[in-house]
Amino acid sequence: MTEALSRSPLARFIALVEQRLGLHYEPEQWGELAPLLFERSASRGMEGYLSLLNSTASEAEWRALAERLTVGETYFLRHPAQLEVLVSKVLPSFAQPGAPIRVLCAGCSTGEEPYSIALLCREQGKVDPAQLRVLGIDVNPRAIAHARNARYSPWSLRSVPQALRERWFQRSSEGFFLRPALRDQVLFEERNLLEDAPAFWAPASFHVILCRNVMLYFPAEVTRKIIARMSQALVPGGYLFLGPSETLRGISEDFELLRSADAFYYRRKAPAPAAAAVPVSAPVPAAVKASVRQPPPMQEGLDALLPLLDAERYAEAWARLDALPQAALPQGQLLRAVLHLNAGRFAEAEHAGQQLLSMRDTEASAHFLLGVCLEHSGDDAGARNRYAAAARADPTFALSHLRAGTLARRAGNVAEARVALRMALSLLPQEKPLRLTLFGGGFGRHGLMQVGLRELQACTEVP
């Protein structure tokens, strides 16, 4: 980007949108926002309009921009495997006589998700409806008004079985209205996830938070901030549900990844005992190394560290790696780079990845690792180039095709995304276990197959 472009009114407008709404746009997407800027600034002039957005009198204008820029297409019973485990397993685990169960749906759009939760809870009968408190929040005021009105088109109900339609919706010439008993069980609130609100995000405010398919559009630093707030707001052992293709790897270590059938979700970890809290970024004292239980002789070596990575026991893996003579070998350096990555130390991970590029045995993995670093910094275009380089270095590297296809779909390159995702799905059954452990983002082979299938399905839904 040239210096002149970086100071242009459009660049300043986009910077304000990122700062206020948290929406991230790559330079190649800027042209899509230019007509909106010209339209909204017509009456005041460009400089006057940008000054308005920076002033205390800009609230109404930001509400209007939120309506135009956030388009949350959703529908009832979306991602049913997650909803099933939420309603049948997670929510009943918090049931106590007379105690409320509080659920937050962040980025709820027009309300289909929170209403789906209330509907399924009534259908299954495992949670007393009187105890369930469901709150939906969204930055888009028009979406919130739609949710409160609770009127939906047949397209929004496309996954709802006929029996449930008849039981919970009333049909009219204007569409399907949710019946009052269900509609009144859910509350909605206009709220920006980026704004500080200590009272709203107070500790132990919610038992479950759903934030599905929202983080895909935020840069990594914004995602980390939002997830940290959500972690604080959950009760100990509370649950977080993200979209099927979203992961907390490199974003937060506050959660453990769980799986039930085809559903993946996160549970907030219990606070670690003080004696076990050894930061990965600091040198590990000899006394701590000595206290780490040593593996049996047959498990000595780098392979013994892989179960620790699977269990996200990074501090223990770091301590063992330092004690191994193989730590200086390329595979040992790769493990060190991955530990940096999982601890959110992206500068150190990138430095290690650059050093590994020159080594034939680790070239493909190094490119992939550098791609992850770029993706977390918000440089999706650079990340795609790295994933492509990883695939050239080793065409059988399924995960590089998967990430490249995912990013291509986000960028709107549907044909390219389909090719990469189909390649990933053909290669994943034979993907090396080591790569799944290092770069699977906490997902196993089956989970990654499900991610790939959902990404490919999203491509086929594009006109």
Side-chain angles (χ1 to χ4, degrees):
M1 182 193 312
T2 66
E3 182 176 355
L5 180 59
S6 66
R7 295 179 179 177
S8 70
L10 180 58
R12 289 155 57 197
F13 173 65
I14 290 171
L16 288 169
V17 168
E18 289 198 14
Q19 178 183 354
R20 184 64 182 265
L21 299 180
L23 303 176
H24 179 67
Y25 296 91
E26 296 294 339
E28 58 265 26
Q29 298 174 293
W30 287 15
E32 301 172 11
L33 274 69
L36 177 63
L37 173 60
F38 287 123
E39 173 193 330
R40 304 302 297 184
S41 64
S43 62
R44 295 175 177 267
M46 200 71 72
E47 292 300 325
Y49 181 67
L50 292 174
S51 297
L52 169 68
L53 293 181
N54 267 314
S55 72
T56 56
S58 63
E59 192 62 34
E61 180 59 22
W62 278 114
R63 286 166 59 94
L65 287 175
E67 290 183 4
R68 297 287 294 274
L69 293 171
T70 58
V71 182
E73 196 280 332
T74 185
Y75 52 90
F76 280 87
L77 306 184
R78 190 181 187 188
H79 304 321
Q82 286 188 325
L83 293 178
E84 172 63 25
V85 72
L86 168 67
V87 172
S88 65
K89 182 177 179 180
V90 170
L91 294 180
S93 71
F94 293 110
Q96 297 181 11
I101 303 173
R102 298 178 297 276
V103 179
L104 174 67
C105 295
C108 69
S109 187
T110 47
E112 287 91 333
E113 179 180 80
Y115 284 136
S116 293
I117 296 169
L119 186 157
L120 290 175
C121 282
R122 284 178 175 263
E123 282 292 311
Q124 294 202 6
K126 295 185 178 181
V127 173
D128 183 354
Q131 294 180 254
L132 185 64
R133 308 283 190 272
V134 183
L135 172 64
I137 63 172
D138 200 279
V139 71
N140 188 331
R142 184 174 297 176
I144 291 296
H146 185 142
R148 288 171 175 157
N149 190 39
R151 185 188 70 193
Y152 296 97
S153 69
W155 184 242
S156 291
L157 275 66
R158 59 189 183 270
S159 294
V160 180
Q162 186 62 34
L164 296 187
R165 288 194 190 192
E166 295 175 357
R167 189 148 52 242
W168 297 110
F169 295 87
Q170 182 176 356
R171 187 162 193 168
S172 74
S173 59
E174 299 178 354
F176 289 87
F177 282 88
L178 201 63
R179 295 192 182 276
L182 198 58
R183 182 195 64 202
D184 295 344
Q185 192 172 350
V186 181
L187 298 177
F188 294 94
E189 181 178 325
E190 181 188 338
R191 182 170 294 279
N192 188 337
L193 288 176
L194 272 67
E195 291 180 352
D196 289 326
F200 185 84
W201 299 109
S205 294
F206 304 101
H207 296 88
V208 179
I209 297 177
L210 292 89
C211 189
R212 305 194 297 174
N213 305 310
V214 176
M215 299 304 176
L216 293 171
Y217 306 102
F218 291 148
E221 61 273 15
V222 172
T223 298
R224 277 191 285 274
K225 183 177 181 180
I226 293 173
I227 293 297
R229 282 180 179 162
M230 292 181 176
S231 174
Q232 170 187 279
L234 283 168
V235 300
Y239 293 83
L240 174 65
F241 285 76
L242 301 180
S245 61
E246 297 172 307
T247 176
L248 292 183
R249 182 65 63 91
I251 296 295
S252 173
E253 294 188 24
D254 293 346
F255 297 86
E256 58 180 328
L257 179 65
L258 303 178
R259 173 187 169 188
S260 179
D262 290 336
F264 294 88
Y265 55 107
Y266 291 88
R267 180 169 58 201
R268 184 184 171 192
K269 295 177 181 176
V278 181
V280 171
S281 58
V284 182
V288 174
K289 291 182 183 179
S291 68
V292 175
R293 185 181 58 181
Q294 297 300 314
M298 66 172 55
Q299 291 185 327
E300 288 289 355
L302 297 175
D303 288 346
L305 302 184
L306 300 185
L308 299 179
L309 267 66
D310 278 330
E312 300 186 2
R313 292 158 60 185
Y314 302 130
E316 188 174 348
W318 191 276
R320 290 196 182 188
L321 179 61
D322 278 348
L324 291 175
Q326 300 97 323
L329 298 176
Q331 290 294 339
Q333 294 180 45
L334 177 61
L335 282 172
R336 190 180 301 278
V338 170
L339 287 171
H340 280 307
L341 186 68
N342 290 322
R345 294 165 53 84
F346 297 110
E348 291 85 347
E350 184 176 1
H351 177 71
Q354 292 289 354
Q355 292 181 322
L356 290 166
L357 279 177
S358 60
M359 304 177 188
R360 182 176 179 181
D361 289 345
T362 56
E363 179 186 359
S365 293
H367 279 300
F368 188 93
L369 183 142
L370 292 171
V372 176
C373 292
L374 289 169
E375 193 173 343
H376 279 285
S377 72
D379 184 1
D380 282 4
R384 285 170 63 189
N385 289 335
R386 284 295 182 183
Y387 295 140
R392 287 194 299 271
D394 184 351
T396 68
F397 196 165
L399 294 177
S400 63
H401 296 287
L402 179 61
R403 291 309 309 156
T406 299
L407 293 184
R409 183 190 66 78
R410 290 187 204 170
N413 299 323
V414 177
E416 178 185 338
R418 287 173 180 163
V419 172
L421 291 168
R422 285 170 180 152
M423 180 65 73
L425 289 169
S426 69
L427 293 172
L428 270 170
Q430 291 80 40
E431 181 64 285
K432 298 174 182 177
L434 176 62
R435 284 177 176 164
L436 295 176
T437 297
L438 296 181
F439 301 121
F443 294 91
R445 193 183 307 275
H446 177 78
L448 290 166
M449 290 288 291
Q450 294 302 311
V451 169
L453 287 169
R454 291 187 181 107
E455 289 289 330
L456 187 59
Q457 181 182 7
C459 290
T460 61
E461 291 173 354
V462 176

